[in-house]
Every structure is written in C-alpha cells, then in structure tokens.
Amino acid sequence: KDDNDRLPEWLAYHWLTLPLKYLLVAIDPTGTTSPHHILDKWGGNGNSSNTDIGMGMGIEIELWDDVDYDHWMNEELDEKHKHRDRQKLFLADCERHHKKKGRSWLAIIDPDEFITYNLINRDDPKIGDFVDEDVPEQFVE
C-alpha cells in the first residue's frame, strides 16, 4: 500500500532485466497517493485500459480500479480479510486477462520485490548436464 515511491526504480529495473512489456496495476482504494504521474512517464496517460506507449519504453500499462475486476467491499470483513478478498479477485482476473491476450507467462511481483537470475556455473556438480547450448551465455559463469 502506498509503495508508489518505489515504482521508478522497480519499473526501470524490470524493464531492463526481463524486459518488462506489460504491466497491470491495481489501484488501492484506501491509498493516499497515486501512481499515475509515475506510470505516465513509462506508458502513456495512465487511464484504465491504456495502451499508449510512453517515452519509447514499449510498456503497455493498464490501471484497474475495483470495478474493473468486479470487486465490492464486504463491510463485514476485518481489514486483513478485506485486503485478501480484493487481492484474490484481482489476481484471478489478472491471470485471465493475460491468458486471453495470449501471453505465455506471468510474474506477479509487488513493488518491494525484484526478480533476479541465478548464474549457472558449468563446474557445479549439482547442475550436471543441465548446462547446454540453450543456456544464454550471460547466465553462465
């Protein structure tokens, strides 16, 4: 919640590392800050179902509010369970959305999490014959 200050570094890192091409962001209705001004720089105007490309970065960014994935707040739940209920619905719709668009893989990452790659050492006995010509050189020590 309110991790928008982490977004510039997160976006730059994953754009270079993965490369990041599609981003779906759930807007927290209880948040006190907005990611719009940061995301505008990377993917256009930050509107829902936005597909503009900003700064030539090639990232398609979509912002979803609760109504975009049919979430309604169950007032009988405590704060923790309200969050879990909302997150469960968002993740399920996010997965369906990307599958419908024909994307073959999906990473679900919070703004305080970063994907890293493990380098493969050809001499590691645990790896054995795994290392072959299909492994990109940058991942082999």
PDB file of all heavy atoms in Angstrom, residues 83-116:
ATOM      1  N   HIS A  83      -8.552  -6.970   2.449  1.00  0.00           N
ATOM      2  CA  HIS A  83      -7.390  -6.922   1.552  1.00  0.00           C
ATOM      3  C   HIS A  83      -7.215  -8.250   0.818  1.00  0.00           C
ATOM      4  O   HIS A  83      -7.001  -8.269  -0.394  1.00  0.00           O
ATOM      5  CB  HIS A  83      -6.128  -6.578   2.337  1.00  0.00           C
ATOM      6  CG  HIS A  83      -4.884  -6.688   1.529  1.00  0.00           C
ATOM      7  ND1 HIS A  83      -4.533  -5.749   0.586  1.00  0.00           N
ATOM      8  CD2 HIS A  83      -3.922  -7.637   1.492  1.00  0.00           C
ATOM      9  CE1 HIS A  83      -3.406  -6.106   0.013  1.00  0.00           C
ATOM     10  NE2 HIS A  83      -3.017  -7.250   0.544  1.00  0.00           N
ATOM     11  N   ARG A  84      -7.311  -9.358   1.552  1.00  0.00           N
ATOM     12  CA  ARG A  84      -7.123 -10.677   0.927  1.00  0.00           C
ATOM     13  C   ARG A  84      -8.206 -10.976  -0.105  1.00  0.00           C
ATOM     14  O   ARG A  84      -7.934 -11.544  -1.152  1.00  0.00           O
ATOM     15  CB  ARG A  84      -7.090 -11.766   1.998  1.00  0.00           C
ATOM     16  CG  ARG A  84      -5.814 -11.734   2.783  1.00  0.00           C
ATOM     17  CD  ARG A  84      -5.742 -12.866   3.763  1.00  0.00           C
ATOM     18  NE  ARG A  84      -4.481 -12.822   4.482  1.00  0.00           N
ATOM     19  CZ  ARG A  84      -4.219 -13.528   5.551  1.00  0.00           C
ATOM     20  NH1 ARG A  84      -5.132 -14.347   6.046  1.00  0.00           N
ATOM     21  NH2 ARG A  84      -3.056 -13.432   6.151  1.00  0.00           N
ATOM     22  N   ASP A  85      -9.435 -10.595   0.209  1.00  0.00           N
ATOM     23  CA  ASP A  85     -10.544 -10.804  -0.716  1.00  0.00           C
ATOM     24  C   ASP A  85     -10.320 -10.014  -2.012  1.00  0.00           C
ATOM     25  O   ASP A  85     -10.455 -10.548  -3.111  1.00  0.00           O
ATOM     26  CB  ASP A  85     -11.850 -10.371  -0.046  1.00  0.00           C
ATOM     27  CG  ASP A  85     -13.059 -10.595  -0.912  1.00  0.00           C
ATOM     28  OD1 ASP A  85     -13.293 -11.750  -1.318  1.00  0.00           O
ATOM     29  OD2 ASP A  85     -13.772  -9.602  -1.179  1.00  0.00           O
ATOM     30  N   ARG A  86      -9.935  -8.768  -1.865  1.00  0.00           N
ATOM     31  CA  ARG A  86      -9.670  -7.895  -3.014  1.00  0.00           C
ATOM     32  C   ARG A  86      -8.506  -8.431  -3.839  1.00  0.00           C
ATOM     33  O   ARG A  86      -8.562  -8.490  -5.064  1.00  0.00           O
ATOM     34  CB  ARG A  86      -9.365  -6.490  -2.496  1.00  0.00           C
ATOM     35  CG  ARG A  86      -9.135  -5.479  -3.545  1.00  0.00           C
ATOM     36  CD  ARG A  86      -8.923  -4.098  -2.892  1.00  0.00           C
ATOM     37  NE  ARG A  86      -8.653  -3.146  -3.922  1.00  0.00           N
ATOM     38  CZ  ARG A  86      -7.439  -2.911  -4.405  1.00  0.00           C
ATOM     39  NH1 ARG A  86      -6.408  -3.538  -3.923  1.00  0.00           N
ATOM     40  NH2 ARG A  86      -7.270  -2.046  -5.371  1.00  0.00           N
ATOM     41  N   GLN A  87      -7.437  -8.838  -3.168  1.00  0.00           N
ATOM     42  CA  GLN A  87      -6.252  -9.343  -3.859  1.00  0.00           C
ATOM     43  C   GLN A  87      -6.562 -10.630  -4.626  1.00  0.00           C
ATOM     44  O   GLN A  87      -6.130 -10.805  -5.764  1.00  0.00           O
ATOM     45  CB  GLN A  87      -5.136  -9.595  -2.841  1.00  0.00           C
ATOM     46  CG  GLN A  87      -3.811  -9.961  -3.460  1.00  0.00           C
ATOM     47  CD  GLN A  87      -2.729 -10.085  -2.424  1.00  0.00           C
ATOM     48  OE1 GLN A  87      -2.931 -10.685  -1.361  1.00  0.00           O
ATOM     49  NE2 GLN A  87      -1.575  -9.516  -2.705  1.00  0.00           N
ATOM     50  N   LYS A  88      -7.323 -11.532  -4.010  1.00  0.00           N
ATOM     51  CA  LYS A  88      -7.676 -12.795  -4.655  1.00  0.00           C
ATOM     52  C   LYS A  88      -8.453 -12.546  -5.950  1.00  0.00           C
ATOM     53  O   LYS A  88      -8.159 -13.143  -6.993  1.00  0.00           O
ATOM     54  CB  LYS A  88      -8.498 -13.649  -3.687  1.00  0.00           C
ATOM     55  CG  LYS A  88      -8.883 -15.003  -4.220  1.00  0.00           C
ATOM     56  CD  LYS A  88      -9.557 -15.857  -3.157  1.00  0.00           C
ATOM     57  CE  LYS A  88     -10.847 -15.246  -2.707  1.00  0.00           C
ATOM     58  NZ  LYS A  88     -11.621 -16.089  -1.789  1.00  0.00           N
ATOM     59  N   LEU A  89      -9.410 -11.641  -5.907  1.00  0.00           N
ATOM     60  CA  LEU A  89     -10.187 -11.321  -7.110  1.00  0.00           C
ATOM     61  C   LEU A  89      -9.319 -10.665  -8.189  1.00  0.00           C
ATOM     62  O   LEU A  89      -9.419 -10.994  -9.367  1.00  0.00           O
ATOM     63  CB  LEU A  89     -11.356 -10.397  -6.761  1.00  0.00           C
ATOM     64  CG  LEU A  89     -12.510 -11.052  -6.027  1.00  0.00           C
ATOM     65  CD1 LEU A  89     -13.476  -9.995  -5.524  1.00  0.00           C
ATOM     66  CD2 LEU A  89     -13.222 -12.022  -6.945  1.00  0.00           C
ATOM     67  N   PHE A  90      -8.474  -9.729  -7.778  1.00  0.00           N
ATOM     68  CA  PHE A  90      -7.598  -9.055  -8.739  1.00  0.00           C
ATOM     69  C   PHE A  90      -6.662 -10.054  -9.420  1.00  0.00           C
ATOM     70  O   PHE A  90      -6.526 -10.055 -10.643  1.00  0.00           O
ATOM     71  CB  PHE A  90      -6.777  -7.957  -8.065  1.00  0.00           C
ATOM     72  CG  PHE A  90      -5.713  -7.399  -8.969  1.00  0.00           C
ATOM     73  CD1 PHE A  90      -6.057  -6.545 -10.006  1.00  0.00           C
ATOM     74  CD2 PHE A  90      -4.383  -7.745  -8.813  1.00  0.00           C
ATOM     75  CE1 PHE A  90      -5.097  -6.044 -10.869  1.00  0.00           C
ATOM     76  CE2 PHE A  90      -3.418  -7.245  -9.660  1.00  0.00           C
ATOM     77  CZ  PHE A  90      -3.765  -6.392 -10.692  1.00  0.00           C
ATOM     78  N   LEU A  91      -6.006 -10.903  -8.642  1.00  0.00           N
ATOM     79  CA  LEU A  91      -5.050 -11.851  -9.226  1.00  0.00           C
ATOM     80  C   LEU A  91      -5.725 -12.808 -10.194  1.00  0.00           C
ATOM     81  O   LEU A  91      -5.178 -13.111 -11.259  1.00  0.00           O
ATOM     82  CB  LEU A  91      -4.321 -12.616  -8.124  1.00  0.00           C
ATOM     83  CG  LEU A  91      -3.388 -11.775  -7.253  1.00  0.00           C
ATOM     84  CD1 LEU A  91      -2.801 -12.616  -6.123  1.00  0.00           C
ATOM     85  CD2 LEU A  91      -2.295 -11.125  -8.073  1.00  0.00           C
ATOM     86  N   ALA A  92      -6.907 -13.295  -9.856  1.00  0.00           N
ATOM     87  CA  ALA A  92      -7.629 -14.211 -10.740  1.00  0.00           C
ATOM     88  C   ALA A  92      -7.983 -13.519 -12.056  1.00  0.00           C
ATOM     89  O   ALA A  92      -7.774 -14.076 -13.144  1.00  0.00           O
ATOM     90  CB  ALA A  92      -8.885 -14.740 -10.051  1.00  0.00           C
ATOM     91  N   ASP A  93      -8.514 -12.297 -11.983  1.00  0.00           N
ATOM     92  CA  ASP A  93      -8.863 -11.572 -13.206  1.00  0.00           C
ATOM     93  C   ASP A  93      -7.624 -11.174 -14.002  1.00  0.00           C
ATOM     94  O   ASP A  93      -7.640 -11.154 -15.228  1.00  0.00           O
ATOM     95  CB  ASP A  93      -9.703 -10.336 -12.890  1.00  0.00           C
ATOM     96  CG  ASP A  93     -11.188 -10.627 -12.941  1.00  0.00           C
ATOM     97  OD1 ASP A  93     -11.562 -11.816 -12.963  1.00  0.00           O
ATOM     98  OD2 ASP A  93     -11.978  -9.667 -12.965  1.00  0.00           O
ATOM     99  N   CYS A  94      -6.550 -10.842 -13.304  1.00  0.00           N
ATOM    100  CA  CYS A  94      -5.291 -10.503 -13.963  1.00  0.00           C
ATOM    101  C   CYS A  94      -4.790 -11.697 -14.778  1.00  0.00           C
ATOM    102  O   CYS A  94      -4.398 -11.551 -15.940  1.00  0.00           O
ATOM    103  CB  CYS A  94      -4.260 -10.107 -12.904  1.00  0.00           C
ATOM    104  SG  CYS A  94      -2.623  -9.739 -13.542  1.00  0.00           S
ATOM    105  N   GLU A  95      -4.813 -12.878 -14.183  1.00  0.00           N
ATOM    106  CA  GLU A  95      -4.377 -14.084 -14.890  1.00  0.00           C
ATOM    107  C   GLU A  95      -5.253 -14.358 -16.102  1.00  0.00           C
ATOM    108  O   GLU A  95      -4.754 -14.669 -17.191  1.00  0.00           O
ATOM    109  CB  GLU A  95      -4.370 -15.274 -13.932  1.00  0.00           C
ATOM    110  CG  GLU A  95      -3.287 -15.160 -12.879  1.00  0.00           C
ATOM    111  CD  GLU A  95      -3.416 -16.170 -11.753  1.00  0.00           C
ATOM    112  OE1 GLU A  95      -4.241 -17.113 -11.861  1.00  0.00           O
ATOM    113  OE2 GLU A  95      -2.689 -16.021 -10.761  1.00  0.00           O
ATOM    114  N   ARG A  96      -6.570 -14.240 -15.951  1.00  0.00           N
ATOM    115  CA  ARG A  96      -7.486 -14.444 -17.089  1.00  0.00           C
ATOM    116  C   ARG A  96      -7.227 -13.419 -18.186  1.00  0.00           C
ATOM    117  O   ARG A  96      -7.235 -13.739 -19.374  1.00  0.00           O
ATOM    118  CB  ARG A  96      -8.938 -14.365 -16.621  1.00  0.00           C
ATOM    119  CG  ARG A  96      -9.431 -15.622 -15.947  1.00  0.00           C
ATOM    120  CD  ARG A  96     -10.941 -15.586 -15.731  1.00  0.00           C
ATOM    121  NE  ARG A  96     -11.349 -14.711 -14.654  1.00  0.00           N
ATOM    122  CZ  ARG A  96     -11.390 -15.048 -13.380  1.00  0.00           C
ATOM    123  NH1 ARG A  96     -11.059 -16.266 -13.004  1.00  0.00           N
ATOM    124  NH2 ARG A  96     -11.775 -14.189 -12.462  1.00  0.00           N
ATOM    125  N   HIS A  97      -7.001 -12.173 -17.790  1.00  0.00           N
ATOM    126  CA  HIS A  97      -6.755 -11.089 -18.740  1.00  0.00           C
ATOM    127  C   HIS A  97      -5.528 -11.389 -19.610  1.00  0.00           C
ATOM    128  O   HIS A  97      -5.578 -11.281 -20.840  1.00  0.00           O
ATOM    129  CB  HIS A  97      -6.557  -9.780 -17.968  1.00  0.00           C
ATOM    130  CG  HIS A  97      -6.117  -8.624 -18.793  1.00  0.00           C
ATOM    131  ND1 HIS A  97      -6.983  -7.913 -19.595  1.00  0.00           N
ATOM    132  CD2 HIS A  97      -4.899  -8.052 -18.960  1.00  0.00           C
ATOM    133  CE1 HIS A  97      -6.319  -6.953 -20.208  1.00  0.00           C
ATOM    134  NE2 HIS A  97      -5.049  -7.010 -19.835  1.00  0.00           N
ATOM    135  N   HIS A  98      -4.432 -11.771 -18.974  1.00  0.00           N
ATOM    136  CA  HIS A  98      -3.203 -12.045 -19.719  1.00  0.00           C
ATOM    137  C   HIS A  98      -3.328 -13.313 -20.558  1.00  0.00           C
ATOM    138  O   HIS A  98      -2.800 -13.375 -21.667  1.00  0.00           O
ATOM    139  CB  HIS A  98      -2.002 -12.116 -18.780  1.00  0.00           C
ATOM    140  CG  HIS A  98      -1.588 -10.772 -18.276  1.00  0.00           C
ATOM    141  ND1 HIS A  98      -0.997  -9.825 -19.096  1.00  0.00           N
ATOM    142  CD2 HIS A  98      -1.694 -10.191 -17.061  1.00  0.00           C
ATOM    143  CE1 HIS A  98      -0.741  -8.739 -18.388  1.00  0.00           C
ATOM    144  NE2 HIS A  98      -1.171  -8.927 -17.155  1.00  0.00           N
ATOM    145  N   LYS A  99      -4.039 -14.310 -20.057  1.00  0.00           N
ATOM    146  CA  LYS A  99      -4.253 -15.538 -20.829  1.00  0.00           C
ATOM    147  C   LYS A  99      -5.065 -15.234 -22.088  1.00  0.00           C
ATOM    148  O   LYS A  99      -4.758 -15.708 -23.181  1.00  0.00           O
ATOM    149  CB  LYS A  99      -4.960 -16.589 -19.975  1.00  0.00           C
ATOM    150  CG  LYS A  99      -5.127 -17.908 -20.681  1.00  0.00           C
ATOM    151  CD  LYS A  99      -5.704 -18.958 -19.777  1.00  0.00           C
ATOM    152  CE  LYS A  99      -5.750 -20.286 -20.505  1.00  0.00           C
ATOM    153  NZ  LYS A  99      -6.151 -21.372 -19.640  1.00  0.00           N
ATOM    154  N   LYS A 100      -6.110 -14.410 -21.924  1.00  0.00           N
ATOM    155  CA  LYS A 100      -6.946 -14.029 -23.055  1.00  0.00           C
ATOM    156  C   LYS A 100      -6.128 -13.289 -24.126  1.00  0.00           C
ATOM    157  O   LYS A 100      -6.399 -13.394 -25.303  1.00  0.00           O
ATOM    158  CB  LYS A 100      -8.095 -13.139 -22.576  1.00  0.00           C
ATOM    159  CG  LYS A 100      -9.167 -12.911 -23.618  1.00  0.00           C
ATOM    160  CD  LYS A 100     -10.244 -11.927 -23.159  1.00  0.00           C
ATOM    161  CE  LYS A 100     -10.852 -12.314 -21.842  1.00  0.00           C
ATOM    162  NZ  LYS A 100     -11.905 -11.374 -21.391  1.00  0.00           N
ATOM    163  N   LYS A 101      -5.115 -12.552 -23.698  1.00  0.00           N
ATOM    164  CA  LYS A 101      -4.255 -11.809 -24.624  1.00  0.00           C
ATOM    165  C   LYS A 101      -3.165 -12.690 -25.229  1.00  0.00           C
ATOM    166  O   LYS A 101      -2.334 -12.220 -25.999  1.00  0.00           O
ATOM    167  CB  LYS A 101      -3.627 -10.614 -23.921  1.00  0.00           C
ATOM    168  CG  LYS A 101      -4.642  -9.578 -23.506  1.00  0.00           C
ATOM    169  CD  LYS A 101      -4.106  -8.225 -23.784  1.00  0.00           C
ATOM    170  CE  LYS A 101      -5.165  -7.180 -23.497  1.00  0.00           C
ATOM    171  NZ  LYS A 101      -5.099  -6.096 -24.402  1.00  0.00           N
ATOM    172  N   GLY A 102      -3.144 -13.983 -24.864  1.00  0.00           N
ATOM    173  CA  GLY A 102      -2.212 -14.929 -25.457  1.00  0.00           C
ATOM    174  C   GLY A 102      -0.800 -14.878 -24.885  1.00  0.00           C
ATOM    175  O   GLY A 102       0.141 -15.350 -25.521  1.00  0.00           O
ATOM    176  N   ARG A 103      -0.657 -14.352 -23.707  1.00  0.00           N
ATOM    177  CA  ARG A 103       0.680 -14.261 -23.103  1.00  0.00           C
ATOM    178  C   ARG A 103       1.027 -15.596 -22.461  1.00  0.00           C
ATOM    179  O   ARG A 103       0.196 -16.222 -21.814  1.00  0.00           O
ATOM    180  CB  ARG A 103       0.707 -13.121 -22.106  1.00  0.00           C
ATOM    181  CG  ARG A 103       0.359 -11.828 -22.869  1.00  0.00           C
ATOM    182  CD  ARG A 103       0.597 -10.577 -22.134  1.00  0.00           C
ATOM    183  NE  ARG A 103       0.278  -9.461 -23.016  1.00  0.00           N
ATOM    184  CZ  ARG A 103      -0.580  -8.512 -22.743  1.00  0.00           C
ATOM    185  NH1 ARG A 103      -1.206  -8.515 -21.585  1.00  0.00           N
ATOM    186  NH2 ARG A 103      -0.810  -7.545 -23.597  1.00  0.00           N
ATOM    187  N   SER A 104       2.254 -16.030 -22.664  1.00  0.00           N
ATOM    188  CA  SER A 104       2.639 -17.381 -22.256  1.00  0.00           C
ATOM    189  C   SER A 104       3.156 -17.482 -20.825  1.00  0.00           C
ATOM    190  O   SER A 104       3.267 -18.574 -20.286  1.00  0.00           O
ATOM    191  CB  SER A 104       3.694 -17.938 -23.216  1.00  0.00           C
ATOM    192  OG  SER A 104       4.827 -17.098 -23.232  1.00  0.00           O
ATOM    193  N   TRP A 105       3.505 -16.379 -20.210  1.00  0.00           N
ATOM    194  CA  TRP A 105       3.921 -16.429 -18.811  1.00  0.00           C
ATOM    195  C   TRP A 105       3.569 -15.123 -18.124  1.00  0.00           C
ATOM    196  O   TRP A 105       3.380 -14.103 -18.762  1.00  0.00           O
ATOM    197  CB  TRP A 105       5.396 -16.774 -18.663  1.00  0.00           C
ATOM    198  CG  TRP A 105       6.354 -15.746 -19.167  1.00  0.00           C
ATOM    199  CD1 TRP A 105       6.794 -15.602 -20.452  1.00  0.00           C
ATOM    200  CD2 TRP A 105       6.971 -14.697 -18.420  1.00  0.00           C
ATOM    201  NE1 TRP A 105       7.651 -14.543 -20.537  1.00  0.00           N
ATOM    202  CE2 TRP A 105       7.787 -13.964 -19.312  1.00  0.00           C
ATOM    203  CE3 TRP A 105       6.929 -14.311 -17.094  1.00  0.00           C
ATOM    204  CZ2 TRP A 105       8.537 -12.873 -18.902  1.00  0.00           C
ATOM    205  CZ3 TRP A 105       7.687 -13.214 -16.691  1.00  0.00           C
ATOM    206  CH2 TRP A 105       8.482 -12.529 -17.600  1.00  0.00           C
ATOM    207  N   LEU A 106       3.501 -15.199 -16.799  1.00  0.00           N
ATOM    208  CA  LEU A 106       3.083 -14.062 -15.999  1.00  0.00           C
ATOM    209  C   LEU A 106       3.863 -14.079 -14.695  1.00  0.00           C
ATOM    210  O   LEU A 106       4.017 -15.119 -14.070  1.00  0.00           O
ATOM    211  CB  LEU A 106       1.577 -14.187 -15.709  1.00  0.00           C
ATOM    212  CG  LEU A 106       0.932 -13.224 -14.736  1.00  0.00           C
ATOM    213  CD1 LEU A 106       0.913 -11.812 -15.307  1.00  0.00           C
ATOM    214  CD2 LEU A 106      -0.482 -13.682 -14.418  1.00  0.00           C
ATOM    215  N   ALA A 107       4.373 -12.939 -14.293  1.00  0.00           N
ATOM    216  CA  ALA A 107       5.026 -12.803 -12.993  1.00  0.00           C
ATOM    217  C   ALA A 107       4.195 -11.835 -12.160  1.00  0.00           C
ATOM    218  O   ALA A 107       3.826 -10.768 -12.645  1.00  0.00           O
ATOM    219  CB  ALA A 107       6.448 -12.272 -13.154  1.00  0.00           C
ATOM    220  N   ILE A 108       3.901 -12.231 -10.951  1.00  0.00           N
ATOM    221  CA  ILE A 108       3.156 -11.374 -10.038  1.00  0.00           C
ATOM    222  C   ILE A 108       4.156 -10.876  -9.000  1.00  0.00           C
ATOM    223  O   ILE A 108       4.675 -11.665  -8.204  1.00  0.00           O
ATOM    224  CB  ILE A 108       1.990 -12.147  -9.394  1.00  0.00           C
ATOM    225  CG1 ILE A 108       1.021 -12.586 -10.494  1.00  0.00           C
ATOM    226  CG2 ILE A 108       1.311 -11.300  -8.332  1.00  0.00           C
ATOM    227  CD1 ILE A 108      -0.060 -13.532 -10.041  1.00  0.00           C
ATOM    228  N   ILE A 109       4.430  -9.567  -9.058  1.00  0.00           N
ATOM    229  CA  ILE A 109       5.510  -9.003  -8.257  1.00  0.00           C
ATOM    230  C   ILE A 109       5.027  -7.723  -7.583  1.00  0.00           C
ATOM    231  O   ILE A 109       4.470  -6.854  -8.239  1.00  0.00           O
ATOM    232  CB  ILE A 109       6.725  -8.653  -9.147  1.00  0.00           C
ATOM    233  CG1 ILE A 109       7.046  -9.792 -10.106  1.00  0.00           C
ATOM    234  CG2 ILE A 109       7.927  -8.299  -8.303  1.00  0.00           C
ATOM    235  CD1 ILE A 109       7.988  -9.384 -11.214  1.00  0.00           C
ATOM    236  N   ASP A 110       5.277  -7.606  -6.290  1.00  0.00           N
ATOM    237  CA  ASP A 110       4.992  -6.374  -5.559  1.00  0.00           C
ATOM    238  C   ASP A 110       6.112  -5.363  -5.800  1.00  0.00           C
ATOM    239  O   ASP A 110       7.225  -5.744  -6.159  1.00  0.00           O
ATOM    240  CB  ASP A 110       4.882  -6.657  -4.061  1.00  0.00           C
ATOM    241  CG  ASP A 110       3.596  -7.374  -3.685  1.00  0.00           C
ATOM    242  OD1 ASP A 110       2.619  -7.286  -4.454  1.00  0.00           O
ATOM    243  OD2 ASP A 110       3.574  -8.019  -2.624  1.00  0.00           O
ATOM    244  N   PRO A 111       5.839  -4.078  -5.566  1.00  0.00           N
ATOM    245  CA  PRO A 111       6.874  -3.059  -5.815  1.00  0.00           C
ATOM    246  C   PRO A 111       8.072  -3.144  -4.876  1.00  0.00           C
ATOM    247  O   PRO A 111       9.082  -2.499  -5.108  1.00  0.00           O
ATOM    248  CB  PRO A 111       6.156  -1.726  -5.639  1.00  0.00           C
ATOM    249  CG  PRO A 111       4.807  -2.024  -5.167  1.00  0.00           C
ATOM    250  CD  PRO A 111       4.570  -3.490  -5.209  1.00  0.00           C
ATOM    251  N   ASP A 112       7.997  -3.965  -3.840  1.00  0.00           N
ATOM    252  CA  ASP A 112       9.169  -4.145  -2.976  1.00  0.00           C
ATOM    253  C   ASP A 112       9.887  -5.461  -3.265  1.00  0.00           C
ATOM    254  O   ASP A 112      10.744  -5.896  -2.518  1.00  0.00           O
ATOM    255  CB  ASP A 112       8.778  -4.063  -1.497  1.00  0.00           C
ATOM    256  CG  ASP A 112       7.819  -5.153  -1.077  1.00  0.00           C
ATOM    257  OD1 ASP A 112       7.170  -5.775  -1.954  1.00  0.00           O
ATOM    258  OD2 ASP A 112       7.688  -5.399   0.140  1.00  0.00           O
ATOM    259  N   GLU A 113       9.537  -6.106  -4.373  1.00  0.00           N
ATOM    260  CA  GLU A 113      10.156  -7.362  -4.793  1.00  0.00           C
ATOM    261  C   GLU A 113      10.830  -7.183  -6.149  1.00  0.00           C
ATOM    262  O   GLU A 113      10.317  -6.469  -7.010  1.00  0.00           O
ATOM    263  CB  GLU A 113       9.094  -8.467  -4.897  1.00  0.00           C
ATOM    264  CG  GLU A 113       8.370  -8.723  -3.609  1.00  0.00           C
ATOM    265  CD  GLU A 113       7.165  -9.636  -3.763  1.00  0.00           C
ATOM    266  OE1 GLU A 113       6.679  -9.851  -4.886  1.00  0.00           O
ATOM    267  OE2 GLU A 113       6.700 -10.125  -2.731  1.00  0.00           O
ATOM    268  N   PHE A 114      11.971  -7.842  -6.335  1.00  0.00           N
ATOM    269  CA  PHE A 114      12.733  -7.733  -7.568  1.00  0.00           C
ATOM    270  C   PHE A 114      13.130  -9.125  -8.046  1.00  0.00           C
ATOM    271  O   PHE A 114      13.643  -9.932  -7.267  1.00  0.00           O
ATOM    272  CB  PHE A 114      14.003  -6.888  -7.356  1.00  0.00           C
ATOM    273  CG  PHE A 114      13.706  -5.436  -7.130  1.00  0.00           C
ATOM    274  CD1 PHE A 114      13.244  -4.975  -5.903  1.00  0.00           C
ATOM    275  CD2 PHE A 114      13.874  -4.521  -8.157  1.00  0.00           C
ATOM    276  CE1 PHE A 114      12.957  -3.638  -5.694  1.00  0.00           C
ATOM    277  CE2 PHE A 114      13.590  -3.176  -7.959  1.00  0.00           C
ATOM    278  CZ  PHE A 114      13.141  -2.740  -6.737  1.00  0.00           C
ATOM    279  N   ILE A 115      12.906  -9.406  -9.333  1.00  0.00           N
ATOM    280  CA  ILE A 115      13.320 -10.675  -9.923  1.00  0.00           C
ATOM    281  C   ILE A 115      14.819 -10.635 -10.156  1.00  0.00           C
ATOM    282  O   ILE A 115      15.354  -9.650 -10.669  1.00  0.00           O
ATOM    283  CB  ILE A 115      12.588 -10.925 -11.260  1.00  0.00           C
ATOM    284  CG1 ILE A 115      11.117 -11.213 -10.993  1.00  0.00           C
ATOM    285  CG2 ILE A 115      13.233 -12.064 -12.026  1.00  0.00           C
ATOM    286  CD1 ILE A 115      10.302 -11.469 -12.225  1.00  0.00           C
ATOM    287  N   THR A 116      15.503 -11.726  -9.794  1.00  0.00           N
ATOM    288  CA  THR A 116      16.924 -11.846 -10.098  1.00  0.00           C
ATOM    289  C   THR A 116      17.164 -13.185 -10.778  1.00  0.00           C
ATOM    290  O   THR A 116      16.336 -14.100 -10.697  1.00  0.00           O
ATOM    291  CB  THR A 116      17.799 -11.775  -8.829  1.00  0.00           C
ATOM    292  OG1 THR A 116      17.452 -12.860  -7.967  1.00  0.00           O
ATOM    293  CG2 THR A 116      17.607 -10.457  -8.096  1.00  0.00           C
TER     294      THR A 116
END
